[in-house]
Amino acid sequence: MYICPENRILKYSYEIYDEKRSQKRWVYRGTHCRDCKSNQQCTNRKDRIRQLKVNHLSRDRKRLKEKMSTDKAQSIFKQRKYTVEPVIGNYKQNLRFREFITRGLNSVKKCLTWYVLL
């Protein structure tokens, strides 16, 4: 839920695909913007209605940021550089395995299995 400077709720209006950024966005619009006293500071649109375009991943990013601000999450994340990152770095740098030549999850899993076995 998003709220304008006058503490009025912006309602979900529709979903768009932003081709410039290659991502989905949700559009929220004000309901009582034309008769609002803060209208001039709130929007520059010709129809004088406040519109907010929000990335569809913003909720997840906010939740992750809150989660990662705890000490427990930070200590767990620090372990990653000792457990996961060296393995990935070995495949990429030493074995020069940087991309898959196949498509599809099943095909990539098979290719990775063969590569690890060799």
Side-chain angles (χ1 to χ4, degrees):
M1 177 169 40
Y2 296 95
I3 299 174
C4 78
E6 289 294 319
N7 291 326
R8 294 182 177 165
I9 296 173
L10 301 176
K11 286 190 174 183
Y12 172 78
S13 187
Y14 55 92
E15 183 178 294
I16 61 171
Y17 183 76
D18 188 354
E19 291 183 15
K20 184 177 179 183
R21 295 187 172 113
S22 300
Q23 60 187 340
K24 283 193 293 188
R25 292 180 166 256
W26 294 325
V27 178
Y28 292 86
R29 296 183 61 149
T31 54
H32 301 353
C33 291
R34 289 193 177 121
D35 56 336
C36 180
K37 61 183 175 185
S38 299
N39 190 291
Q40 296 295 328
Q41 294 85 22
C42 204
T43 184
N44 291 328
R45 292 173 49 91
K46 290 181 181 179
D47 61 1
R48 308 310 304 163
I49 296 175
R50 182 174 176 91
Q51 183 170 309
L52 184 65
K53 295 178 182 175
V54 180
N55 184 332
H56 75 289
L57 297 174
S58 63
R59 289 183 196 154
D60 296 333
R61 288 179 181 155
K62 184 178 179 183
R63 205 175 308 134
L64 181 62
K65 185 176 181 180
E66 290 171 0
K67 179 181 174 183
M68 289 304 295
S69 65
T70 64
D71 292 333
K72 182 180 178 183
Q74 289 177 3
S75 66
I76 291 172
F77 194 73
K78 284 181 184 177
Q79 293 175 0
R80 177 185 169 109
K81 65 181 166 186
Y82 301 114
T83 56
V84 178
E85 296 296 336
V87 176
I88 295 170
N90 181 43
Y91 282 121
K92 289 178 76 174
Q93 184 66 31
N94 300 335
L95 302 176
R96 292 186 175 85
F97 185 67
R98 297 187 178 271
E99 60 188 40
F100 293 98
I101 58 172
T102 60
R103 289 188 175 192
L105 186 59
N106 290 334
S107 180
V108 168
K109 284 181 181 178
K110 289 176 187 175
C111 181
L112 183 61
T113 302
W114 278 107
Y115 195 78
V116 171
L117 290 174
L118 298 176

